[in-house]
Amino acid sequence: MHLAVLVMVGTLLHGCMGPSGATVVTGLTEPKQIRFVTVVKPDLEEGVGGWQVSCIHIRLTRSGTGESFLCRFGIEMPVRNREGPVSVPLAQRVASERINETAYSVLGSATPASPLGVLCETLKGALAPRIAGSIVGAMMTYRCHKDTVPVEFGDFVL
């Protein structure tokens, strides 16, 4: 049986221009908001293996025009790698931390003229190595696995 959960949450990211002209980013993802689905059970005899996946959607919105863009990506992690088990709470915590730090870094440098699609691609490009560097075998994917239901996080408003 596959777990399919859609969680609607408050604002993930909200941006406005601060005194220095930089975009101020507030909000964050909580680990429990990220839902992982095990799509491959680990082989207990081998000691490694198994695969868990999650689908993330972050809405980027321009306040002046209402223009909106849904930034979509997946996060995939082993259930057990050579370093040991990767529990769902660990996968959730790592994914949440990497998404938050990447969003603050990338979106904090945005301007009201920044194209939303470009911001999304920049966010994904910066997130991929951070996810891969956190847990052996983990990766950010540009498409969500077919067995996941997207978790949508609120707006980053420019």
Side-chain angles (χ1 to χ4, degrees), residues 2-7 33-37 53-57 144-152:
H2 297 291
L3 176 65
V5 179
L6 175 62
V7 178
Q33 295 170 313
I34 299 173
R35 302 290 183 227
F36 278 91
V37 176
V53 298
S54 182
C55 183
I56 308 295
H57 288 184
C144 292
H145 189 279
K146 65 180 178 59
D147 290 338
T148 60
V149 172
V151 176
E152 186 171 324

Side-chain angles (χ1 to χ4, degrees), residues 4 12 16 27 40-41 43 45 48 51 59 64 67-68 73 82 88 108 112 124 135 151:
L12 164 68
C16 59
V40 176
K41 299 274 189 216
D43 182 346
E45 290 181 19
V48 296
W51 205 242
R59 183 160 303 281
E67 174 190 5
S68 184
F73 56 90
R82 67 177 184 248
V88 169
K124 291 189 288 189
I135 292 179
V151 176

Side-chain angles (χ1 to χ4, degrees), residues 99-149:
I99 291 168
N100 289 331
E101 71 189 27
T102 305
Y104 277 85
S105 171
V106 170
L107 302 176
S109 65
T111 69
S114 298
L116 299 181
V118 172
L119 284 174
C120 172
E121 291 306 311
T122 303
L123 185 140
K124 291 189 288 189
L127 180 60
R130 289 179 177 179
I131 293 291
S134 297
I135 292 179
V136 174
M139 69 178 102
M140 194 247 18
T141 60
Y142 286 86
R143 291 187 178 180
C144 292
H145 189 279
K146 65 180 178 59
D147 290 338
T148 60
V149 172

Side-chain angles (χ1 to χ4, degrees), residues 59-69 110-117 119 155-158:
R59 183 160 303 281
L60 308 176
T61 303
R62 191 169 316 284
S63 65
T65 64
E67 174 190 5
S68 184
F69 188 88
T111 69
S114 298
L116 299 181
L119 284 174
D155 288 335
F156 170 67
V157 180
L158 293 171

Side-chain angles (χ1 to χ4, degrees), residues 88-104:
V88 169
L90 175 60
Q92 290 172 311
R93 182 180 58 77
V94 168
S96 174
E97 288 172 357
R98 297 300 87 82
I99 291 168
N100 289 331
E101 71 189 27
T102 305
Y104 277 85

